[in-house]
Protein backbone atom coordinates (compact mmCIF):
# COMPACT_ATOMS: atom_id res chain seq x y z
CA UNK A 1 0.00 0.00 0.00
CA UNK A 2 1.40 3.46 -0.87
CA UNK A 3 2.85 5.53 1.98
CA UNK A 4 2.64 9.30 2.10
CA UNK A 5 4.34 11.97 4.17
CA UNK A 6 2.14 14.97 4.97
CA UNK A 7 3.90 18.27 5.72
CA UNK A 8 2.04 20.80 7.85
CA UNK A 9 2.34 24.04 9.78
CA UNK A 10 0.19 25.20 12.66
CA UNK A 11 -0.38 27.77 15.36
CA UNK A 12 -0.85 25.72 18.51
CA UNK A 13 -2.61 28.28 20.72
CA UNK A 14 -6.09 26.75 20.53
CA UNK A 15 -5.04 23.10 20.62
CA UNK A 16 -4.38 20.64 23.46
CA UNK A 17 -1.13 19.54 21.88
CA UNK A 18 -0.18 17.51 18.83
CA UNK A 19 -1.09 13.88 19.52
CA UNK A 20 -4.64 12.51 19.79
CA UNK A 21 -6.03 12.74 23.34
CA UNK A 22 -9.34 11.64 24.75
CA UNK A 23 -11.88 14.49 25.03
CA UNK A 24 -9.46 17.09 23.65
CA UNK A 25 -8.98 18.91 20.35
CA UNK A 26 -5.47 18.33 19.02
CA UNK A 27 -3.60 18.86 15.76
CA UNK A 28 -3.73 15.14 14.91
CA UNK A 29 -7.41 14.67 15.77
CA UNK A 30 -8.39 17.73 13.70
CA UNK A 31 -6.53 16.45 10.64
CA UNK A 32 -7.78 12.87 11.01
CA UNK A 33 -11.36 14.16 11.15
CA UNK A 34 -10.79 16.28 8.04
CA UNK A 35 -9.25 13.33 6.17
CA UNK A 36 -12.27 11.21 6.98
CA UNK A 37 -14.56 13.89 5.54
CA UNK A 38 -12.53 14.17 2.33
CA UNK A 39 -11.78 10.49 1.72
CA UNK A 40 -14.72 8.83 3.51
CA UNK A 41 -12.29 6.55 5.36
CA UNK A 42 -10.45 6.49 8.67
CA UNK A 43 -6.75 7.24 8.06
CA UNK A 44 -4.51 6.82 11.14
CA UNK A 45 -1.57 9.22 11.24
CA UNK A 46 1.93 8.78 12.68
CA UNK A 47 3.65 12.02 13.66
CA UNK A 48 7.31 12.95 13.40
CA UNK A 49 7.50 15.17 16.50
CA UNK A 50 5.03 15.79 19.30
CA UNK A 51 4.51 19.33 20.50
CA UNK A 52 2.84 20.40 23.74
CA UNK A 53 -0.33 22.45 24.09
CA UNK A 54 0.23 25.99 22.85
CA UNK A 55 3.44 25.17 20.93
CA UNK A 56 3.61 26.02 17.21
CA UNK A 57 5.23 24.43 14.17
CA UNK A 58 6.50 25.97 10.97
CA UNK A 59 7.17 22.45 9.72
CA UNK A 60 6.07 19.08 11.03
CA UNK A 61 5.18 15.78 9.40
CA UNK A 62 2.79 12.85 9.57
CA UNK A 63 2.98 9.66 7.58
CA UNK A 64 0.07 7.41 6.61
CA UNK A 65 -0.68 4.46 4.35
CA UNK A 66 -3.51 4.89 1.86
CA UNK A 67 -4.36 3.11 -1.39
CA UNK A 68 -5.26 6.28 -3.23
CA UNK A 69 -3.49 8.79 -5.48
CA UNK A 70 -3.23 12.08 -3.58
CA UNK A 71 -3.71 15.15 -5.82
CA UNK A 72 -3.35 18.93 -5.39
CA UNK A 73 -7.15 19.14 -5.34
CA UNK A 74 -7.20 16.84 -2.29
CA UNK A 75 -4.77 19.18 -0.52
CA UNK A 76 -6.90 22.21 -1.42
CA UNK A 77 -10.09 20.57 -0.17
CA UNK A 78 -8.41 19.43 3.03
CA UNK A 79 -7.13 22.93 3.79
CA UNK A 80 -10.56 24.35 3.05
CA UNK A 81 -12.18 22.43 5.91
CA UNK A 82 -9.33 22.53 8.42
CA UNK A 83 -9.20 25.30 11.06
CA UNK A 84 -7.46 28.46 9.92
CA UNK A 85 -4.54 27.80 12.25
CA UNK A 86 -3.59 24.48 10.57
CA UNK A 87 -2.18 24.37 7.02
CA UNK A 88 -1.21 21.31 4.99
CA UNK A 89 1.73 22.47 2.89
CA UNK A 90 2.61 19.33 0.89
CA UNK A 91 2.11 15.60 0.37
CA UNK A 92 5.02 13.34 -0.58
CA UNK A 93 4.85 9.76 -1.81
CA UNK A 94 7.64 7.79 -0.09
CA UNK A 95 8.91 4.23 0.18
CA UNK A 96 6.73 1.90 2.30
CA UNK A 97 9.42 1.53 4.98
CA UNK A 98 10.13 5.25 5.41
CA UNK A 99 8.95 6.54 8.79
CA UNK A 100 8.14 10.14 9.73
CA UNK A 101 9.45 9.78 13.27
CA UNK A 102 12.19 7.18 13.23
CA UNK A 103 13.85 8.34 10.00
CA UNK A 104 14.19 11.98 11.10
CA UNK A 105 17.86 12.85 11.56
CA UNK A 106 17.40 16.26 13.19
CA UNK A 107 14.83 18.68 14.52
CA UNK A 108 15.28 22.43 14.75
CA UNK A 109 13.42 24.60 17.29
CA UNK A 110 13.36 28.29 18.05
CA UNK A 111 12.06 30.07 21.13
CA UNK A 112 10.94 33.70 20.69
CA UNK A 113 11.21 36.29 23.48
CA UNK A 114 10.36 40.00 23.44
CA UNK A 115 11.10 42.56 26.15
CA UNK A 116 8.85 45.39 24.96
CA UNK A 117 5.09 44.98 25.02
CA UNK A 118 3.88 43.89 21.58
CA UNK A 119 0.27 42.78 20.98
CA UNK A 120 1.27 40.97 17.79
CA UNK A 121 3.60 38.63 19.66
CA UNK A 122 1.28 37.84 22.56
CA UNK A 123 0.44 34.33 21.29
CA UNK A 124 3.72 33.63 19.50
CA UNK A 125 6.35 34.82 21.96
CA UNK A 126 7.25 35.15 25.63
CA UNK A 127 6.95 38.69 27.04
CA UNK A 128 9.97 39.02 29.31
CA UNK A 129 10.39 42.69 30.33
CA UNK A 130 13.71 42.28 32.11
CA UNK A 131 17.26 43.28 31.27
CA UNK A 132 19.47 40.31 30.45
CA UNK A 133 23.19 39.94 29.89
CA UNK A 134 23.37 38.79 26.26
CA UNK A 135 26.96 37.59 26.53
CA UNK A 136 26.06 35.33 29.45
CA UNK A 137 23.15 33.93 27.44
CA UNK A 138 25.41 33.20 24.48
CA UNK A 139 28.04 31.54 26.65
CA UNK A 140 25.37 29.35 28.26
CA UNK A 141 24.12 28.35 24.80
CA UNK A 142 27.65 27.31 23.80
CA UNK A 143 27.84 25.16 26.92
CA UNK A 144 24.61 23.45 25.84
CA UNK A 145 26.14 22.60 22.47
CA UNK A 146 29.04 20.80 24.14
CA UNK A 147 26.77 18.78 26.41
CA UNK A 148 25.27 15.37 25.58
CA UNK A 149 23.19 14.27 28.59
CA UNK A 150 20.09 16.34 29.40
CA UNK A 151 18.52 14.41 32.25
CA UNK A 152 18.22 17.61 34.30
CA UNK A 153 16.18 19.29 31.54
CA UNK A 154 13.62 16.55 30.91
CA UNK A 155 10.22 16.55 32.56
CA UNK A 156 9.63 13.81 35.07
CA UNK A 157 7.95 10.60 33.95
CA UNK A 158 9.55 10.92 30.51
CA UNK A 159 9.35 7.38 29.14
CA UNK A 160 12.66 7.30 27.30
CA UNK A 161 15.56 4.85 27.41
CA UNK A 162 18.28 7.48 27.18
CA UNK A 163 18.63 11.17 27.99
CA UNK A 164 21.47 11.67 25.52
CA UNK A 165 21.01 14.18 22.70
CA UNK A 166 23.46 15.30 20.03
CA UNK A 167 23.22 19.10 19.83
CA UNK A 168 24.07 20.44 16.37
CA UNK A 169 23.26 24.10 16.97
CA UNK A 170 22.71 26.19 20.11
CA UNK A 171 22.79 29.97 19.92
CA UNK A 172 20.90 33.14 20.76
CA UNK A 173 19.94 35.63 18.04
CA UNK A 174 19.30 39.26 19.01
CA UNK A 175 17.24 41.79 17.05
CA UNK A 176 16.44 44.81 19.19
CA UNK A 177 13.55 44.05 21.57
CA UNK A 178 13.06 40.57 20.09
CA UNK A 179 15.54 37.77 20.64
CA UNK A 180 15.33 34.04 20.10
CA UNK A 181 17.06 30.84 21.01
CA UNK A 182 17.90 28.53 18.10
CA UNK A 183 18.63 24.88 18.82
CA UNK A 184 18.93 21.78 16.63
CA UNK A 185 19.55 18.19 17.70
CA UNK A 186 19.05 14.62 16.61
CA UNK A 187 16.34 14.32 19.29
CA UNK A 188 14.77 16.28 22.12
CA UNK A 189 13.37 15.27 25.49
CA UNK A 190 9.94 16.26 26.76
CA UNK A 191 10.08 19.86 27.99
CA UNK A 192 13.78 20.16 27.19
CA UNK A 193 13.86 23.33 25.06
CA UNK A 194 11.60 25.32 27.37
CA UNK A 195 13.64 24.19 30.40
CA UNK A 196 16.89 25.24 28.72
CA UNK A 197 15.43 28.64 27.82
CA UNK A 198 14.01 29.30 31.30
CA UNK A 199 17.25 28.28 33.01
CA UNK A 200 19.45 30.27 30.63
CA UNK A 201 17.28 33.33 31.29
CA UNK A 202 18.20 32.92 34.95
CA UNK A 203 21.84 33.02 33.86
CA UNK A 204 21.14 36.12 31.76
CA UNK A 205 19.59 37.88 34.75
CA UNK A 206 22.51 36.73 36.90
CA UNK A 207 20.20 34.87 39.27
CA UNK A 208 22.51 31.88 38.81
CA UNK A 209 26.09 31.75 37.56
CA UNK A 210 27.58 30.04 34.55
CA UNK A 211 29.21 27.61 36.97
CA UNK A 212 25.76 26.82 38.40
CA UNK A 213 24.46 26.24 34.88
CA UNK A 214 27.38 23.98 33.98
CA UNK A 215 26.80 21.94 37.14
CA UNK A 216 23.15 21.60 36.20
CA UNK A 217 24.08 20.34 32.74
CA UNK A 218 25.97 17.51 34.41
CA UNK A 219 23.24 16.84 36.96
CA UNK A 220 21.12 13.70 36.68
CA UNK A 221 18.10 15.21 38.47
CA UNK A 222 15.72 17.92 37.30
CA UNK A 223 14.88 19.43 40.68
CA UNK A 224 16.98 22.53 40.00
CA UNK A 225 16.14 23.19 36.34
CA UNK A 226 13.62 25.92 35.62
CA UNK A 227 10.63 24.90 33.48
CA UNK A 228 8.82 28.26 33.62
CA UNK A 229 9.15 29.29 29.94
CA UNK A 230 5.58 29.27 28.57
CA UNK A 231 4.63 27.28 25.47
CA UNK A 232 3.63 30.12 23.14
CA UNK A 233 7.24 31.16 22.44
CA UNK A 234 8.25 27.74 21.11
CA UNK A 235 8.27 26.80 17.42
CA UNK A 236 9.28 23.55 15.73
CA UNK A 237 11.01 25.01 12.68
CA UNK A 238 12.26 22.04 10.71
CA UNK A 239 12.37 18.24 10.65
CA UNK A 240 15.16 16.88 8.44
CA UNK A 241 15.38 13.50 6.71
CA UNK A 242 18.28 11.71 5.03
CA UNK A 243 16.31 11.26 1.80
CA UNK A 244 14.81 13.68 -0.73
CA UNK A 245 11.10 14.40 -0.47
CA UNK A 246 9.42 15.13 -3.81
CA UNK A 247 5.93 16.64 -3.54
CA UNK A 248 2.98 15.08 -5.33
CA UNK A 249 0.54 17.67 -4.02
Amino acid sequence: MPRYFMELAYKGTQFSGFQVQENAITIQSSIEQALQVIFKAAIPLTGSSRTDAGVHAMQNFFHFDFDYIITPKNKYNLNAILPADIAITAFYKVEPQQHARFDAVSRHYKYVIYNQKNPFLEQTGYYYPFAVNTQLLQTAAQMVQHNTNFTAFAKRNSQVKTFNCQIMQSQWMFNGPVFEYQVAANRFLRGMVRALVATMLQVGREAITLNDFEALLHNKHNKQANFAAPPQGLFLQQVAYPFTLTPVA
Side-chain angles (χ1 to χ4, degrees):
M1 183 178 295
R3 173 162 291 188
Y4 292 93
F5 274 29
M6 174 197 297
E7 183 180 352
L8 66 150
Y10 52 85
K11 181 181 177 183
T13 307
Q14 304 299 326
F15 298 92
S16 298
F18 183 74
Q19 192 176 25
V20 168
Q21 302 175 37
E22 189 174 353
N23 300 319
I25 299 174
T26 68
I27 303 297
Q28 182 176 352
S29 65
S30 299
I31 295 175
E32 287 184 348
Q33 289 172 13
L35 286 170
Q36 184 148 16
V37 171
I38 296 297
F39 294 111
K40 312 300 181 186
I43 303 176
L45 300 174
T46 299
S48 69
S49 300
R50 301 174 187 175
T51 51
D52 291 337
V55 174
H56 320 294
M58 301 172 74
Q59 183 188 63
N60 205 344
F61 288 89
F62 286 110
H63 82 242
F64 62 94
D65 299 324
F66 193 41
D67 195 11
Y68 188 93
I69 298 175
I70 303 292
T71 68
K73 183 178 180 181
N74 297 141
K75 184 180 76 171
Y76 176 86
N77 291 339
L78 187 60
N79 276 319
I81 64 173
L82 280 168
D85 33 18
I86 301 176
I88 307 304
T89 54
F91 286 96
Y92 307 90
K93 191 173 182 181
V94 299
E95 297 299 323
Q97 75 277 8
Q98 290 177 331
H99 197 285
R101 178 184 174 191
F102 298 137
D103 284 343
V105 293
S106 68
R107 294 164 176 85
H108 189 149
Y109 283 88
K110 73 174 181 179
Y111 192 97
V112 178
I113 298 172
Y114 59 106
N115 59 24
Q116 294 181 11
K117 189 175 181 180
N118 186 330
F120 301 105
L121 292 176
E122 181 186 1
Q123 295 182 336
T124 54
Y126 178 20
Y127 180 41
Y128 195 76
F130 306 104
V132 294
N133 184 317
T134 58
Q135 184 56 55
L136 289 177
L137 283 180
Q138 202 68 277
T139 302
Q142 292 168 3
M143 293 165 68
V144 170
Q145 186 158 356
H146 293 100
N147 194 56
T148 56
N149 186 292
F150 291 90
T151 305
F153 295 91
K155 288 185 177 180
R156 295 183 183 181
N157 302 319
S158 296
Q159 297 178 347
V160 294
K161 295 180 180 178
T162 174
F163 292 90
N164 289 338
C165 304
Q166 180 187 350
I167 307 297
M168 304 162 185
Q169 178 189 12
S170 175
Q171 64 179 340
W172 286 90
M173 308 288 288
F174 301 97
N175 184 19
V178 180
F179 55 106
E180 62 185 47
Y181 177 54
Q182 297 268 354
V183 60
N186 65 329
R187 63 191 290 266
F188 287 91
L189 306 169
R190 183 168 172 259
M192 175 177 160
V193 178
R194 288 163 61 187
L196 285 170
V197 167
T199 310
M200 281 190 283
L201 286 174
Q202 288 189 310
V203 175
R205 290 192 66 192
E206 301 184 32
I208 64 174
T209 67
L210 285 170
N211 287 337
D212 293 333
F213 185 67
E214 183 176 24
L216 190 55
L217 284 170
H218 298 296
N219 203 328
K220 298 298 184 291
H221 304 283
N222 65 359
K223 293 182 179 180
Q224 294 175 305
N226 191 310
F227 287 82
Q232 70 268 17
L234 185 59
F235 291 76
L236 174 59
Q237 282 193 289
Q238 183 185 36
V239 182
Y241 293 97
F243 41 78
T244 300
L245 292 173
T246 303
V248 296

